[in-house]
Amino acid sequence: MNVRTRNHVTFAGPVDAPVVMLAHGFGCDQNMWRRIVPALAVDHRVVLFDHVGSGRSDPAAWGAERYASLSGYAEDVVDICRELELPPVTFVGHSVAAMIGVLAANEAPDRFAALALITPSPCYIDDDTYHGGFSRADIDELLESLDSNYLGWSATMAPVIMGNPGRPELGEELTNSFCRTDPAMAAVFARATFLSDNRADLAKVGVPTLIMQCSHDAIAPPEVGFYLRQQIPGSRLVTLAATGHCPQLSAPEETVAALREFLAVRR
Amino acid sequence: MLEDSADDLYEHAPCGNLSTMLDGTIAKINETLLGWLGYDRDEIVARRRFSDLLTVGGKIYYETHYAPLLTMQGEIGGVALDLRAKDGRKLPVLVTSTVKTGADGQPLLIRTTLFDARDRRAYETELLRARHAAEASEQAAQQDRQRLQKLVAGLQRSLLPRTLATPPAMDVAAYYHMASADEVGGDFYDLFPLGGDRWGFFLGDVCGKGVEAAAVTSLARYTLRAATVYDPDPAAVLGNLNTVLYQEYQSDNHRHCTVVFGILGHATSAGRAMTVTGGGHPPALLLTAAGTAEYLDTSGGPLVGLLPDLRFTTHTYTLRPGDTLILYTDGLIEARTDADRGRYSSEDLLDFATSLAPASAGAAVAALTDLLTRFGTGLDDDAAVMALTALPPPPAGGEPVHRT
């Protein structure tokens, strides 16, 4: 197995600098980090990758069973750390990748120096004592939304993915050319993401952890951030002025500043 | 000139128009979209974000796909989302957005256009349903085909001996080539003991294929074995089979077969006496210990089952030690050869047999199997081959040799 091609691993920054690993969430790929990589790469070795089933990962590496739960993605993260012989990394996980990082750090604590969780949620569905923000019916509706974009996306994506030489206008920067995803694989990732419940894994986290939430996030409401701070021993919670679910895109400076403060404490 | 105003076009365009701040807060919305949603303007402007107008599933899709792409590309088009109207109704729309930037290139606001997609969504839902159905039926068809092939293979096996019984001081071998995994063929053969070290053998071919042919094959095989016990004279046995097939099928579609039937006498130091009768079947081949090959005169008899009261002729031979008798079906001599797409003729087969002789049953069947394999797609019929070789007899008084 070659993790570099399997997960389309890319690097930025000086080779001998402290390692920051950036993990994208459901819906896109490592392009999600493009607005903060230059600032981080000044004095960090930045390791980027695509989860299997997303972006430019190797489609042949995908398996419906392995990637039906977050533990499959977490194993891949540990594989990358081991295969590339990375020193203990500061793992920055966005959205569902935050929980993938928690699982990976619990599995192989010696590989992780710290966790930075951006707009995380350990469980999206409400129950009697927990507010995740969604009901099971809501999640079914999302899967329906994915399905209704299935035809459009597969039709738009196909010429790009196949690198159609007869149509040069379908270049790299074409509309929706980021975040290209096989719709069938995306559906499996969506289920793994939104039906996951990792609340029991939070207390086992043994590395310094920063939780970053946005002031208005339709996917991870503020209660979830508070819950996480309560459950992860010794964790810090930062609420950004940024709104939405992707502060690394909508407010890159603020996101980098919060990350830098956390990274500075660690050095 | 038409009297038309930009304001009126904005408000009453046949599409929804929406401008939002970068955080999604709605700054401006047109009458068309308000009408679709059933809201008043002051319930929306500065109070709601665009994603608040979506279904929950649409909201997640917006946050995880739409907003990131819009930020990265400055525009996004043709995404299917569902609005939730004030009265709870779902409105399928196609959404396109662009980011308006200031003179310094900094993003200022987001302009969004929404098209009513009820018709298109219904059409796409139908397409998607058809696609899922096609995928499912393809899978089902594949499973059905596998089930059918398993059934055909099982039925075919039931028409042939599981393993050939091996008479003392003989080498025997057989091979069956199925032309199609989807259809049971009509070729059959058997070798069976009659007591006192005498053995019956036959190889034949029912005309046609499929389940009906398989039923005739089964009937032929069991009739031959029963008739042999009743009167072990090859001509009488084929006469019996003819009567049974004729009576069974005269009313129906006519079913007939071709067959070579024979009886081997007990082993002696000179080999085994052999009586053979042919019923419309290609002649048996004899490969001698001396290295020659010849067709036996068994080809003259009539097709079995076609006419009532046929007479068959019995021929007498000796299978000497080292001699090999080869029975085969016409699949072998009607295969198209690669060279000129002509048929592999009985002369070709005789030449091939001559080049093999002398050969044991095992070696001869192996060579013929190889020949059939080389025909490849030229072989479009089933083909059966059975070979019987007399070996030097066991020492007098010794135990009969049983081979497995």
Side-chain angles (χ1 to χ4, degrees):
Chain A
M1 174 188 60
N2 181 344
V3 296
R4 282 171 193 258
T5 52
R6 184 185 70 181
N7 290 99
H8 188 239
V9 180
T10 62
F11 304 90
V15 174
D16 51 357
V19 178
V20 174
M21 184 184 233
L22 304 181
H24 70 86
F26 166 72
C28 195
D29 57 29
Q30 58 184 271
N31 276 300
M32 282 299 275
W33 302 107
R34 63 211 320 261
R35 290 201 165 178
I36 68 165
V37 167
L40 288 176
V42 172
D43 53 357
H44 288 89
R45 177 66 163 165
V46 181
V47 179
L48 297 130
F49 70 96
D50 295 337
H51 296 297
V52 171
S54 301
R56 294 165 73 181
S57 63
D58 181 1
W62 195 82
E65 209 167 306
R66 179 177 172 90
Y67 295 103
S69 76
L70 297 187
S71 56
Y73 301 89
E75 280 172 34
D76 285 1
V77 169
V78 175
D79 286 346
I80 294 168
C81 295
R82 288 200 175 126
E83 298 271 319
L84 301 181
E85 297 179 353
L86 301 176
V89 303
T90 297
F91 179 94
V92 181
H94 174 231
S95 195
V96 68
M99 287 307 119
I100 291 171
V102 163
L103 294 175
N106 289 353
E107 181 66 35
D110 52 321
R111 294 281 169 187
F112 296 84
L115 292 176
L117 314 179
I118 301 180
T119 59
S121 176
C123 180
Y124 294 89
I125 299 177
D126 300 337
D127 67 20
D128 294 341
T129 58
Y130 171 84
H131 179 75
F134 298 98
S135 67
R136 175 65 210 239
D138 293 336
I139 300 306
D140 288 339
E141 202 175 53
L142 164 72
L143 298 172
E144 220 174 273
S145 278
L146 284 173
D147 234 16
S148 54
N149 281 292
Y150 188 111
L151 290 167
W153 279 66
S154 49
T156 321
M157 291 299 100
V160 180
I161 292 166
M162 293 184 302
N164 192 331
R167 297 186 62 191
E169 72 274 19
L170 296 172
E172 274 296 301
E173 298 291 311
L174 180 85
T175 309
N176 306 355
S177 68
F178 302 114
C179 311
R180 56 184 70 151
T181 305
D182 179 299
M185 296 180 191
V188 171
F189 194 16
R191 280 198 176 78
T193 298
F194 291 102
L195 302 179
S196 65
D197 181 355
N198 296 103
R199 286 176 288 173
D201 301 294
L202 302 175
K204 299 174 200 156
V205 174
V207 297
T209 302
L210 173 70
I211 300 153
M212 296 164 70
Q213 66 178 12
C214 289
S215 52
H216 179 97
D217 181 349
I219 294 187
E223 299 95 305
V224 170
F226 301 137
Y227 178 88
L228 282 161
R229 183 182 58 191
Q230 204 175 50
Q231 297 292 315
I232 300 179
S235 60
R236 276 184 55 213
L237 172 67
V238 169
T239 301
L240 304 174
T243 58
H245 188 58
C246 310
Q248 73 271 48
L249 279 174
S250 61
E253 294 86 1
E254 189 186 16
T255 305
V256 168
L259 276 175
R260 278 204 165 279
E261 196 193 330
F262 180 60
L263 289 162
V265 175
R266 310 255 55 79
R267 294 182 89 163
Chain B
M1 270 296 282
L2 266 175
E3 192 268 325
D4 204 355
S5 82
D7 280 349
D8 189 54
L9 174 61
Y10 177 83
E11 290 297 341
H12 300 107
C15 61
N17 287 324
L18 191 69
S19 301
T20 64
M21 314 300 285
L22 295 176
D23 70 356
T25 307
I26 294 168
K28 200 174 174 191
I29 182 168
N30 75 347
E31 288 287 345
T32 306
L33 186 50
L34 285 171
W36 289 351
L37 291 166
Y39 282 113
D40 290 332
R41 193 177 300 272
D42 54 11
E43 289 178 282
I44 297 279
V45 172
R47 288 172 179 267
R48 293 193 183 239
R49 294 161 201 272
F50 174 43
S51 65
D52 295 336
L53 304 180
L54 301 171
T55 59
V56 178
K59 197 176 292 190
I60 299 175
Y61 193 82
Y62 177 86
E63 295 291 347
T64 54
H65 291 74
Y66 197 92
L69 279 169
L70 178 60
T71 309
M72 281 190 274
Q73 303 172 156
E75 60 179 21
I76 183 168
V79 174
L81 291 171
D82 288 317
L83 296 175
R84 180 74 73 192
K86 189 174 181 180
D87 64 4
R89 270 180 314 125
K90 235 159 106 168
L91 295 171
V93 285
L94 283 176
V95 187
T96 297
S97 293
T98 55
V99 176
K100 177 186 162 68
T101 54
D104 57 354
Q106 283 302 305
L108 294 177
L109 55 85
I110 298 163
R111 286 170 169 163
T112 300
T113 306
L114 302 92
F115 293 96
D116 182 343
R118 276 171 297 190
D119 288 349
R120 197 188 113 155
R121 195 70 63 80
Y123 161 73
E124 283 192 345
T125 303
E126 183 57 25
L127 270 183
L128 201 60
R129 193 200 58 74
R131 182 177 175 146
H132 289 327
E135 281 164 5
S137 73
E138 188 179 308
Q139 204 175 1
Q142 207 155 359
Q143 280 168 356
D144 281 352
R145 179 148 197 260
Q146 279 167 358
R147 243 194 320 268
L148 172 70
Q149 291 187 346
K150 215 170 143 188
L151 196 69
V152 165
L155 181 55
Q156 190 79 68
R157 268 199 310 277
S158 78
L159 297 176
L160 299 168
R162 197 168 282 272
T163 51
L164 273 186
T166 303
M170 287 197 77
D171 179 38
V172 300
Y175 174 71
Y176 193 95
H177 167 85
M178 276 178 81
S180 160
D182 297 334
E183 201 167 37
V184 61
D187 292 2
F188 60 94
Y189 59 81
D190 204 357
L191 172 64
F192 55 99
L194 295 171
D197 191 25
R198 295 168 71 247
W199 295 74
F201 63 88
F202 56 81
L203 180 144
D205 181 0
V206 169
C207 80
K209 287 181 147 231
V211 172
E212 209 176 321
V216 181
T217 304
S218 185
L219 176 66
R221 185 174 169 210
Y222 290 103
T223 302
L224 285 169
R225 288 189 70 145
T228 311
V229 173
Y230 175 68
D231 181 359
D233 166 52
V237 169
L238 284 199
N240 256 315
L241 177 63
N242 183 66
T243 304
V244 169
L245 287 185
Y246 182 78
Q247 285 174 352
E248 190 73 18
Y249 289 98
Q250 59 178 346
S251 53
D252 246 331
N253 292 332
H254 248 309
R255 285 287 175 180
H256 60 271
C257 72
T258 68
V259 61
V260 172
F261 180 90
I263 289 173
L264 290 166
H266 61 86
T268 69
S269 57
R272 288 177 185 262
M274 183 166 72
T275 49
V276 185
T277 296
H281 198 81
L285 260 173
L286 184 68
L287 276 58
T288 67
T292 63
E294 60 186 287
Y295 283 117
L296 296 186
D297 183 23
T298 60
S299 60
L303 293 173
V304 183
L306 204 53
L307 298 167
D309 304 324
L310 292 177
R311 301 220 159 267
F312 295 89
T313 312
T314 300
H315 306 266
T316 304
Y317 310 94
T318 303
L319 195 64
R320 296 190 171 80
D323 286 355
T324 296
L325 178 73
I326 297 177
L327 309 176
Y328 55 92
T329 56
D330 57 9
L332 178 59
I333 49 168
E334 287 178 0
R336 292 187 308 275
T337 53
D338 269 344
D340 50 3
R341 286 296 177 198
R343 297 278 172 178
Y344 193 78
S345 68
S346 52
E347 289 76 25
D348 295 332
L349 180 61
L350 187 59
D351 290 346
F352 185 76
T354 307
S355 72
L356 287 180
S360 70
V365 169
L368 287 166
T369 302
D370 185 49
L371 178 69
L372 287 168
T373 308
R374 272 186 284 132
F375 287 146
T377 54
L379 187 59
D380 49 16
D381 195 4
D382 283 42
V385 175
M386 181 168 72
L388 315 171
T389 303
L391 300 174
E399 288 296 310
V401 178
H402 286 288
R403 297 165 67 102
T404 54

